[in-house]
Amino acid sequence: MRWNHRLAPSLGLILLTSTAKAAVDLSQYVNVFIGSQGPDGTGAGGGDIFVGGARPFGVAKVGIDSTAANWTTAILNGGWTPDGNVTGISMMHESGTGGAPKYGLIAQMPLTSVEAPVNILDNQTYSQPRVGDDEASVGYYKTRLESGVTIELSASRHAGIMEYSFPDGEKHVLVDVSHYLPGSPGDSGSQFFVGGEIGIEDDGKSYSGYGTYIGGWNNGAPFTVFFYGEFSETPDQARTFSGVNTDPMPKYQNLANGGISQPTYGNQTKKASSGPMNDRIGALMSWGSGSASSVISRVGISSISTARARSYIEKEISSWTLNDTVADAVKEWNKDVFNKIQVPLDDSANMTHVRLLYSSLYFMHLMPSDRSGENPLWDSGEPFWDDFYTIWDIFRCTVSFYHIFQPEYYESMIRALIDIWRHQGYMPDGRSGNWNGLVQGGSDADNVLADAYVKGLRGSINWTDGYAAMRKDAEVTPYNTFDPTDFTASTKEGRGALDDWKELGYVSEDRNTRSISRTVEYSLNDFALSQVAKGEMPGDVQKYLNRSAGWQNIWDESVESLNFTGFLAPKFSDGTFNSSDYDPRLCGGCEWSSYTYEAVPWEYSFVIPHDVETLIKFMGGSETFNSRLDMMFKPNMAIQDLGDNGAGITTLMNIGNEPDFATPYLYNYINKQYKSVAQSRSLANEYFKDAAYGIPGNSDAGAMNSWLLWQMLGIYPIVTQPVYLLSSPWFPDLNMTINGNKTLRISATGLEDGFYVQSVKINGEKWTKNWFEHEDIMVNGGRIEFELGQDAKMWDSGDVPPSPGHVELK
Ligand SMILES: *[C@@H]1O[C@H](CO)[C@@H](O)[C@H](O)[C@H]1NC(C)=O
Ligand SMILES: *[C@@H]1O[C@H](CO)[C@@H](O)[C@H](O)[C@H]1NC(C)=O
Ligand SMILES: *[C@@H]1O[C@H](CO)[C@@H](O)[C@H](O)[C@H]1NC(C)=O
Ligand SMILES: *[C@@H]1O[C@H](CO)[C@@H](O)[C@H](O)[C@H]1NC(C)=O
Ligand SMILES: *[C@@H]1O[C@H](CO)[C@@H](O)[C@H](O)[C@H]1NC(C)=O
Ligand SMILES: *[C@@H]1O[C@H](CO)[C@@H](O)[C@H](O)[C@H]1NC(C)=O
Ligand SMILES: *[C@@H]1O[C@H](CO)[C@@H](O)[C@H](O)[C@H]1NC(C)=O
Ligand SMILES: *[C@@H]1O[C@H](CO)[C@@H](O)[C@H](O)[C@H]1NC(C)=O
Ligand SMILES: *[C@@H]1O[C@H](CO)[C@@H](O)[C@H](O)[C@H]1NC(C)=O
Ligand SMILES: *[C@@H]1O[C@H](CO)[C@@H](O)[C@H](O)[C@H]1NC(C)=O
Ligand SMILES: *[C@@H]1O[C@H](CO)[C@@H](O)[C@H](O)[C@H]1NC(C)=O
Ligand SMILES: *[C@@H]1O[C@H](CO)[C@@H](O)[C@H](O)[C@H]1NC(C)=O
């Protein structure tokens, strides 16, 4: 696919700001296709990203949906695939997720015939291959269908605008309320359409209604999306239709094994309703035959009402000129996101780096979705956010970036997390379609809250409640949801293996799944509690600090692997280890029922950010820690097949998934910062590209992109601590607006010679530590000056980074 280097003509490359200073349109450097493909050019092993029109944290993500070229390898999660045929243009998408798809809702499809063999209830009969390369840039997407129709689109925060350029002949737009992104056949996480209603408005060119959907990866409850759509041209004929629902949805009425039905058309002003059999419904707008022309449509969506859906069109997309909305989108992205980071763009600039920078920012702002004012479940006046998909991915370094870069949005997100606990009992780990789920490891919203708290975020957050929400995670076992992927405990929220954790101080292998990775995550979760307890409930500090050492309980000193001894290991509830055939390089699939999730014990054995001091001791001291870290980066040492989560990586270190995000930086804890720089830089260079296959696996709601972003800044945050490690920046000069209106400036000399740090100054002061604290420069802004060079240098002679969760259990 081609990515548009140019912008909407109304915008041009140079914008004039109010101060008449020429400002560059930074959105032009975003490659919106990074992560759109895997290594073989299909979606398999790719980033599963959304491609289409969107705003920063917007509700509407407008883009095409497509068919699965091959269900074994197809990934429909973002709607767009490189090789699928177009089934519709829909209003809601996720970006970067794995598992069964969610959304792909409220769809239109331009058709040039509706006669047999086309059956508007059978997407196989009308789906369209694309011709040539798709084009897209921030807020703009264009594709050409084999039928001769060209689709262009853009989006506002809750609405979308689509322009269909039809060739000579019939012109129809199918509105299929029963359209959704399906899971692969037999996937228990598939979503389904379970009912709705649609009616044509009196003006004969507008329609409104709602659709209700269940399922998706997070096993979501039914949720309803209201819509209002309108066309620029009054159709000659506007009909609603309904048809028997034959999709194989569990627990809802339908016609089993009926084969796809034919539609029954209603009258002009008649509503079509799903009724008790959950019939499929929609509308067909037809403009008859004629010469080539365009039809434009604007569609608003809401969780509350059709009236509100309509109001979003009026408020957000008042023009019928598509490129006005594109220009608006570009303006919003620049103002809210891109303009807040300035780097040199002159001849000396490495434009690949510039594009990676702004593209990373783009992908980190597609999710979660700010649904404030759109809460259909309760009325509290608090902000409302959805599509935390998932916190397991974004807690490690994405939220720390929001903290400094999007303080208002971030405060709002945290208030929403707490309000979900208030009204639904638990904060989410994953959440989408107004429903908590799934929990892959710990209750990682605890880490998010602690990270914000220790860095001083207060604002309008009720921290009494925030801590109470965390305490619920730490004290109350959630009811079992009997998820087909894991029958043993809740996958919806909270900590499913909490009973073990409280009784034994670890998660046992015989009573629970994912025993090792959950022990690791619960440890950090409880450290998170201890940090917030310091301010909110001092009497709890020691208790949770003690519990945060639980990982030590499953450290088996006798396990040996690749000449290293001492690893996390599966332990039974009777206190003995299961040492039969235990190999910490294997995980037995790394899935829900394995003893580690999406990484092997070798990797998880490094994921103790709150007490690296004890970790180093357990591993045998600094020297062994150093060589053991080196082993993580040695090629061909991995023996577990991680499938798409492995991105073809042969080292134990897997940058294609989140658990290892901090691992390359751990050399800082033994004052060998140059090795952190070398390892992290080499991962970044090898796996992150300004290309369609530009990230190693799923972007995971932008988590991958945020890892790269920190790498480019030359710092890395240690989550739940007000601490950042220093690495090595990619730009000679970078100004970043932080904390609303402060400036963080990161500059570097000697980039052309090499990336090793020779010396560092922070706010003019010579710095010998390879880390700094939040208040050093992240509150009021400040300056980091790096001197870089060719030779690895042991410049870091100061104290090593802290281990505030240091507890001696043994
Ligand atoms: C909108 O802008 C794009 C990018 O400049 C351009 O290719 C396209 O033709 C424009 N579309 C319309 C409908 O004007
Ligand atoms: C096509 O439509 C059928 C019938 O509703 C549905 O089961 C299937 O999931 C759809 N396929 C795609 C790729 O949308
Ligand atoms: C797309 O449609 C073409 C032509 O109808 C067909 O040959 C091809 O198999 C379809 N591909 C997918 C992925 O559905
Ligand atoms: C689908 O993909 C799988 C895995 O790559 C492959 O084995 C299979 O042959 C493919 N099926 C078709 C019909 O191409
Ligand atoms: C459409 O309306 C006409 C006139 O009111 C009525 O005779 C006809 O039965 C209606 N058709 C359907 C499909 O409801
Ligand atoms: C960063 O800000 C400083 C101080 O305002 C300025 O001198 C410098 O040119 C800026 N750098 C960039 C890349 O904008
Ligand atoms: C720009 O950076 C890329 C990726 O790091 C590198 O491959 C390329 O050589 C650099 N280009 C120049 C002109 O330095
Ligand atoms: C926080 O919420 C609790 C009730 O949930 C309330 O009693 C308390 O007054 C609130 N604190 C603030 C500062 O609003
Ligand atoms: C924490 O652990 C220490 C050492 O095992 C123990 O003495 C202390 O009572 C524990 N404190 C709490 C609050 O559990
Ligand atoms: C482990 O040590 C033995 C003996 O020194 C050596 O032969 C072997 O290569 C080492 N294994 C690895 C993976 O380094
Ligand atoms: C002990 O570990 C082995 C190897 O991983 C595994 O096959 C076995 O099921 C485990 N035993 C129990 C009781 O969990
Ligand atoms: C800077 O931001 C703070 C916090 O948002 C605000 O109180 C202050 O008024 C802002 N100052 C300026 C000059 O915008």
Side-chain angles (χ1 to χ4, degrees):
M1 57 259 49
R2 186 141 47 91
W3 129 64
N4 246 4
H5 291 258
R6 285 213 40 87
L7 287 161
S10 56
L11 212 70
L13 284 184
I14 303 294
L15 300 173
L16 291 185
T17 66
S18 52
T19 57
K21 188 181 134 216
V24 178
D25 168 19
L26 295 171
S27 79
Q28 69 182 295
Y29 302 118
V30 175
N31 176 351
V32 298
F33 287 108
I34 292 180
S36 62
Q37 291 183 4
D40 67 358
T42 72
D48 299 7
I49 55 153
F50 161 76
V51 178
R55 300 291 172 100
F57 303 127
V59 172
K61 279 179 255 300
V62 185
I64 63 159
D65 294 333
S66 50
T67 56
N70 176 343
W71 271 121
T72 316
T73 52
I75 318 277
L76 303 187
N77 295 57
W80 189 96
T81 56
D83 48 0
N85 293 340
V86 177
T87 57
I89 298 95
S90 71
M91 298 295 297
M92 294 172 73
H93 291 94
E94 312 281 8
S95 187
T97 63
K102 185 110 182 164
Y103 298 157
L105 307 178
I106 315 303
Q108 293 186 348
M109 178 71 187
L111 302 176
T112 50
S113 165
V114 292
E115 299 305 313
V118 171
N119 171 2
I120 55 171
L121 290 182
D122 185 352
N123 50 42
Q124 294 289 326
T125 67
Y126 62 74
S127 65
Q128 287 288 311
R130 283 163 285 171
V131 178
D133 292 333
D134 289 355
E135 289 169 48
S137 54
V138 171
Y140 177 75
Y141 171 82
K142 177 178 184 176
T143 191
R144 292 167 206 81
L145 307 182
E146 197 177 70
S147 62
V149 180
T150 296
I151 302 169
E152 289 170 273
L153 59 83
S154 187
S156 65
R157 299 192 73 80
H158 309 82
I161 179 165
M162 283 74 74
E163 177 155 354
Y164 306 115
S165 306
F166 284 95
D168 290 351
E170 290 179 35
K171 302 169 185 63
H172 311 268
V173 174
L174 166 66
V175 177
D176 185 359
V177 182
S178 59
H179 172 100
Y180 58 89
L181 286 171
S184 60
D187 191 330
S188 63
S190 295
Q191 70 175 344
F192 291 101
F193 168 73
V194 298
E197 195 170 276
I198 186 168
I200 312 283
E201 300 288 312
D202 291 340
D203 66 3
K205 60 173 182 174
S206 308
Y207 61 92
S208 66
Y210 66 88
T212 303
Y213 312 86
I214 52 159
W217 177 78
N218 75 332
N219 300 329
F223 72 102
T224 295
V225 183
F226 296 88
F227 56 83
Y228 189 95
E230 56 190 21
F231 291 91
S232 55
E233 316 296 320
T234 308
D236 301 328
Q237 195 178 25
R239 293 175 282 177
T240 59
F241 64 84
S242 59
V244 172
N245 195 334
T246 55
D247 282 354
M249 49 184 177
K251 298 180 186 167
Y252 282 82
Q253 305 295 346
N254 67 346
L255 175 63
N257 291 52
I260 292 179
S261 58
Q262 290 288 332
T264 305
Y265 288 99
N267 272 344
Q268 189 89 2
T269 55
K270 210 174 153 186
K271 277 192 164 55
S273 297
S274 289
M277 286 293 281
N278 305 299
D279 284 347
R280 296 178 55 190
I281 49 155
L284 185 65
M285 308 293 191
S286 304
W287 285 267
S289 235
S291 55
S293 67
S294 292
V295 171
I296 303 168
S297 181
R298 300 185 296 203
V299 179
I301 51 169
S302 167
S303 313
I304 306 291
S305 67
T306 55
R308 193 183 283 250
R310 182 181 191 181
S311 76
Y312 289 130
I313 302 177
E314 284 158 6
K315 270 187 249 154
E316 300 176 358
I317 307 192
S318 55
S319 161
W320 281 105
T321 305
L322 178 106
N323 278 339
D324 286 348
T325 301
V326 176
D328 234 37
V330 166
K331 202 166 134 196
E332 182 169 349
W333 276 99
N334 279 335
K335 178 167 173 289
D336 266 15
V337 181
F338 308 131
N339 287 351
K340 292 188 192 163
I341 297 193
Q342 301 286 332
V343 293
L345 298 169
D346 56 20
D347 291 345
S348 71
N350 183 322
M351 294 316 285
T352 303
H353 294 176
V354 170
R355 283 192 291 268
L356 285 171
L357 172 70
Y358 291 109
S359 304
S360 300
L361 284 171
Y362 174 78
F363 286 108
M364 291 173 64
H365 284 83
L366 291 177
M367 300 226 289
S369 308
D370 184 359
R371 284 196 220 273
S372 297
E374 277 281 311
N375 183 350
L377 303 179
W378 64 85
D379 183 11
S380 65
E382 282 293 280
F384 191 59
W385 286 70
D386 203 354
D387 304 324
F388 292 101
Y389 202 164
T390 63
I391 291 178
W392 186 85
D393 298 286
I394 64 170
F395 87 78
R396 297 161 209 267
C397 69
T398 317
V399 298
S400 304
F401 191 80
Y402 295 155
H403 187 113
I404 55 172
F405 197 69
Q406 298 292 4
E408 282 178 24
Y409 277 128
Y410 189 48
E411 182 184 327
S412 171
M413 277 180 217
I414 289 176
R415 286 169 62 185
L417 290 174
I418 296 169
D419 212 37
I420 290 168
W421 159 80
R422 270 189 206 107
H423 296 273
Q424 297 195 301
Y426 283 95
M427 294 189 286
D429 196 61
R431 185 179 175 93
S432 200
N434 303 327
W435 183 260
N436 283 356
L438 300 177
V439 183
Q440 298 162 96
S443 48
D444 297 326
D446 301 343
N447 305 346
V448 177
L449 265 62
D451 199 60
Y453 192 84
V454 300
K455 291 170 181 170
L457 185 61
R458 297 296 181 269
S460 305
I461 298 170
N462 184 328
W463 279 108
T464 311
D465 282 2
Y467 183 66
M470 295 171 75
R471 220 162 178 274
K472 176 87 178 273
D473 284 336
E475 297 299 339
V476 182
T477 308
Y479 61 72
N480 193 345
T481 47
F482 297 102
D483 180 346
T485 56
D486 185 354
F487 279 112
T488 61
S490 175
T491 58
K492 182 173 184 284
E493 53 209 352
R495 302 189 204 168
L498 189 64
D499 290 350
D500 260 10
W501 181 246
K502 289 202 293 190
E503 182 194 331
L504 307 169
Y506 61 92
V507 178
S508 72
E509 193 194 17
D510 48 329
R511 294 184 192 162
N512 279 290
T513 54
R514 290 163 279 142
S515 62
I516 295 176
S517 47
R518 285 206 273 191
T519 296
V520 165
E521 293 201 18
Y522 292 5
S523 297
L524 182 60
N525 296 157
D526 277 344
F527 173 72
L529 265 98
S530 74
Q531 298 309 289
V532 179
K534 277 186 188 167
E536 300 300 322
M537 191 74 73
D540 280 359
V541 174
Q542 197 55 45
K543 173 184 180 182
Y544 290 117
L545 208 50
N546 277 8
R547 277 173 46 167
S548 80
W551 66 276
Q552 298 183 29
N553 291 323
I554 62 162
W555 191 269
D556 186 349
E557 296 165 346
S558 68
V559 176
E560 199 183 318
S561 174
L562 302 175
N563 294 344
F564 293 98
T565 52
F567 285 89
L568 298 170
K571 197 175 190 176
F572 295 128
S573 52
D574 69 4
T576 62
F577 284 103
N578 177 4
S579 27
S580 61
D581 293 333
Y582 180 57
D583 184 337
R585 286 196 289 167
L586 293 174
C587 58
C590 293
E591 277 299 339
W592 297 87
S593 56
S594 312
Y595 49 66
T596 50
Y597 182 82
E598 290 195 2
V600 301
W602 244 92
E603 298 168 81
Y604 273 108
S605 291
F606 280 108
V607 187
I608 314 292
H610 55 293
D611 191 5
V612 181
E613 182 181 340
T614 300
L615 189 61
I616 292 172
K617 191 176 118 208
F618 279 15
M619 287 189 174
S622 298
E623 260 177 54
T624 329
F625 185 75
N626 176 41
S627 45
R628 188 149 158 176
L629 270 176
D630 291 348
M631 184 59 81
M632 283 289 287
F633 298 90
K634 199 171 166 194
N636 303 317
M637 287 296 129
I639 54 174
Q640 176 69 47
D641 179 5
L642 294 177
D644 283 346
N645 281 322
I649 291 167
T650 71
T651 55
L652 286 158
M653 170 72 213
N654 176 11
I655 195 60
N657 214 343
E658 283 72 13
D660 294 349
F661 268 11
T663 302
Y665 295 106
L666 290 178
Y667 293 99
N668 279 41
Y669 285 85
I670 49 172
N671 274 357
K672 288 187 192 296
Q673 193 263 0
Y674 71 96
K675 293 183 84 168
S676 297
V677 169
Q679 301 289 25
S680 62
R681 184 69 74 117
S682 118
L683 291 170
N685 285 340
E686 188 169 354
Y687 296 107
F688 294 80
K689 302 265 157 60
D690 173 27
Y693 181 45
I695 45 170
N698 294 353
S699 104
D700 292 328
M704 278 297 145
N705 312 84
S706 62
W707 185 88
L708 182 68
L709 188 66
W710 285 113
Q711 160 67 204
M712 299 180 96
L713 294 178
I715 49 188
Y716 192 80
I718 296 299
V719 65
T720 69
Q721 297 173 40
V723 167
Y724 303 78
L725 306 181
L726 289 164
S727 62
S728 167
W730 292 28
F731 298 96
D733 194 15
L734 178 147
N735 289 324
M736 174 160 140
T737 303
I738 60 163
N739 211 10
N741 51 23
K742 301 294 198 298
T743 303
L744 169 65
R745 185 173 185 192
I746 300 172
S747 54
T749 59
L751 275 170
E752 56 291 348
D753 301 325
F755 51 57
Y756 288 113
V757 175
Q758 308 297 301
S759 71
V760 177
K761 276 191 207 160
I762 292 189
N763 289 333
E765 187 190 328
K766 185 172 157 51
W767 210 258
T768 55
K769 292 182 303 189
N770 57 35
W771 57 283
F772 61 88
E773 285 176 282
H774 186 72
E775 56 180 35
D776 289 331
I777 47 172
M778 294 304 196
V779 178
N780 293 312
R783 185 158 186 198
I784 317 179
E785 292 166 89
F786 286 91
E787 184 198 347
L788 305 181
Q790 193 184 349
D791 300 321
K793 187 173 164 183
M794 305 271 268
W795 63 274
D796 43 341
S797 56
D799 292 341
V800 296
S803 288
H806 183 62
V807 170
E808 291 185 24
L809 266 195
K810 299 190 181 179

